[in-house]
Amino acid sequence: MIKYQELIRNLKAGKILPLYLFYGEEEFLIQEAVDLIIKKVVDPGASDFNFSTLYCRDTTVSDIVNIAQTLPFMSEKRLVIAKELEALKAADAGELVSYLASPSPSTCLVMVSNQRKYDKKSIISSVEAAGGAVTAFYQPYDSEVAAWISGWARSRGLSMQADAVQYIKQAIGNDLQKIHNELQKVEIYVEDRKEVSLADVRLVVGDFREYTSFDLVEAIGRKNGEKAFQILAKILREGEQPVSLLGMVAWNFRRLFKAKGMEAAGMEYGEIKKKMGIFAFQSAAFQEQMRRFTLDELRDAFNVMLSTDSALKSSGVDNKLLLDRMILKLCGGEQRA
């Protein structure tokens, strides 16, 4: 198994293998890898003769193998992309495995399945045994999105400010296709400028997420219990995990506790913001949250979150009810706008 990052590095370096098996739900990243292979393998002047995209649902394995075994015409290599690999019938797997055991050195065969987990072990092992690459493509974690955005910008010769990157991440989430579409709009907007600011992305990037975990954190931080209940119900329905949400709330309270400690020591907010790494578009909201809580309230909040964490992991009580109780305690029963 070759990780996505290593695969992309090798493709950009021109290291093309005779066999590839790509699977996973992140279609954008799969297409990125396929496009790189096309760029490296296919001669645009001879693409009609040496480049085929086939669908296993509509094409027999015999046809795929025959095309893969055909010598390229006026080119060093032939590229064959076989999509919907999951539709391949079990009875046909043996014929494909026979080809994979001795693939044509003048053909690059790329097999693609958009199943989250491709489980035909005979095909996976045959690709790897022949020196091919098997790569799984998963939707990136939230922690990986910012680096992906920054890397995309660098690949276009752009320098994107950190708060601009965070704004895009929070507005869109981890849907790379949507992020890519918005980044292209940003690239067009800045024209010949190389520096992309928060102001640029705020003007261009649409807000695709009604609520995020950051909205929940902010509502609790402002002691707006009514808003927090509303956001919690929405994002739980969208699949957010209760323990993960509790972790985000705890992360914000740790930031607030540290900031309030600095404030108690006589530090001005401008310096606190700098030391805490608070982004410009988050600054006003964070400062308001600092005003809402005393140090003693923040200390008590950690006990509330600790008991909620224990209950989420061990009790049979409904998770939403546990989080609702936590919100009520953290917000002190206040319903502020």
Side-chain angles (χ1 to χ4, degrees):
M1 185 76 70
I2 295 179
K3 292 185 177 180
Y4 159 77
Q5 294 84 352
E6 182 183 353
L7 171 75
I8 295 300
R9 281 197 302 270
N10 290 341
L11 292 178
K12 287 182 176 179
K15 298 177 181 177
I16 303 299
L17 303 176
L19 299 172
Y20 292 94
L21 171 56
F22 300 155
Y23 69 86
E25 296 174 323
E26 186 46 75
E27 296 183 32
F28 179 84
L29 292 181
I30 290 177
Q31 191 58 50
E32 179 188 39
V34 169
D35 287 343
L36 270 173
I37 293 173
I38 293 172
K39 182 179 179 181
K40 296 294 184 180
V41 174
V42 179
D43 179 353
S47 61
D48 290 344
F49 305 103
N50 300 311
F51 177 29
S52 303
T53 299
L54 309 169
Y55 292 84
C56 296
R57 198 174 302 279
D58 305 316
T59 310
T60 67
V61 171
S62 295
D63 287 340
I64 295 172
V65 170
N66 287 338
I67 294 172
Q69 289 176 332
T70 302
L71 292 173
F73 180 72
M74 297 180 65
S75 180
E76 289 186 11
K77 279 193 177 294
R78 172 180 295 279
L79 175 60
V80 179
I81 299 173
K83 295 187 175 183
E84 299 179 345
L85 190 64
E86 67 275 8
L88 182 69
K89 294 180 175 62
D92 295 328
E95 186 175 357
L96 179 58
V97 166
S98 294
Y99 172 80
L100 300 178
S102 182
S104 170
S106 60
T107 294
C108 175
L109 174 61
V110 182
M111 295 168 288
V112 178
S113 170
N114 289 124
Q115 283 184 315
R116 188 179 188 280
K117 180 67 175 177
Y118 185 75
D119 57 5
K120 289 188 171 62
K121 295 181 180 179
S122 62
I123 293 177
I124 293 173
S125 60
S126 296
V127 171
E128 293 179 329
V134 177
T135 301
F137 293 78
Y138 299 120
Q139 196 170 53
Y141 295 111
D142 283 346
S143 59
E144 299 171 324
V145 173
W148 190 90
I149 295 171
S150 297
W152 187 97
R154 285 194 302 272
S155 71
R156 268 74 176 173
L158 300 173
S159 175
M160 187 170 289
Q161 293 176 358
D163 53 0
V165 171
Q166 290 297 321
Y167 183 88
I168 294 172
K169 173 186 170 183
Q170 291 187 28
I172 303 175
N174 60 355
D175 188 321
L176 295 184
Q177 183 62 65
K178 288 180 179 177
I179 292 174
H180 180 258
N181 293 344
E182 297 303 302
L183 287 172
Q184 287 184 313
K185 288 159 59 176
V186 171
E187 185 179 24
I188 293 169
Y189 175 76
V190 299
E191 294 182 328
D192 295 330
R193 284 191 289 118
K194 298 301 181 185
E195 183 80 13
V196 179
S197 68
L198 173 62
D200 293 325
V201 300
R202 282 185 125 163
L203 281 170
V204 176
V205 174
D207 190 349
F208 292 85
R209 307 172 88 183
E210 183 178 359
Y211 293 122
T212 71
S213 56
F214 289 97
D215 296 311
L216 177 65
V217 163
E218 183 179 336
I220 296 173
R222 294 174 63 228
K223 292 188 176 181
N224 186 343
E226 182 178 348
K227 188 71 171 178
F229 293 141
Q230 177 186 354
I231 295 170
L232 176 65
K234 177 71 174 176
I235 60 181
L236 283 176
R237 285 197 299 271
E238 292 176 348
E240 290 282 359
Q241 297 302 307
V243 173
S244 176
L245 292 175
L246 174 58
M248 285 294 297
V249 175
W251 164 78
N252 192 52
F253 272 90
R254 286 194 295 270
R255 293 198 309 165
L256 289 171
F257 186 78
K258 185 175 181 180
K260 289 293 286 189
M262 293 178 184
E263 183 182 58
M267 190 177 294
E268 296 291 330
Y269 179 69
E271 186 64 18
I272 293 173
K273 179 177 70 172
K274 183 177 178 181
K275 285 184 175 294
M276 295 291 297
I278 305 299
F279 294 108
F281 71 96
Q282 300 171 324
S283 179
F286 187 76
Q287 190 172 22
E288 181 184 354
Q289 292 175 57
M290 287 178 61
R291 289 196 296 266
R292 298 281 189 180
F293 286 90
T294 66
L295 274 171
D296 285 339
E297 286 176 324
L298 290 171
R299 290 189 185 95
D300 291 340
F302 289 110
N303 291 326
V304 171
M305 290 183 289
L306 183 62
S307 63
T308 302
D309 180 65
S310 177
L312 283 172
K313 294 174 179 177
S314 61
S315 77
V317 180
D318 178 73
N319 288 338
K320 182 178 182 301
L321 179 59
L322 291 172
L323 292 175
D324 281 341
R325 288 175 180 172
M326 179 191 75
I327 289 171
L328 189 62
K329 291 177 182 177
L330 294 179
C331 293
E334 299 183 48
Q335 309 293 308
R336 302 186 184 186

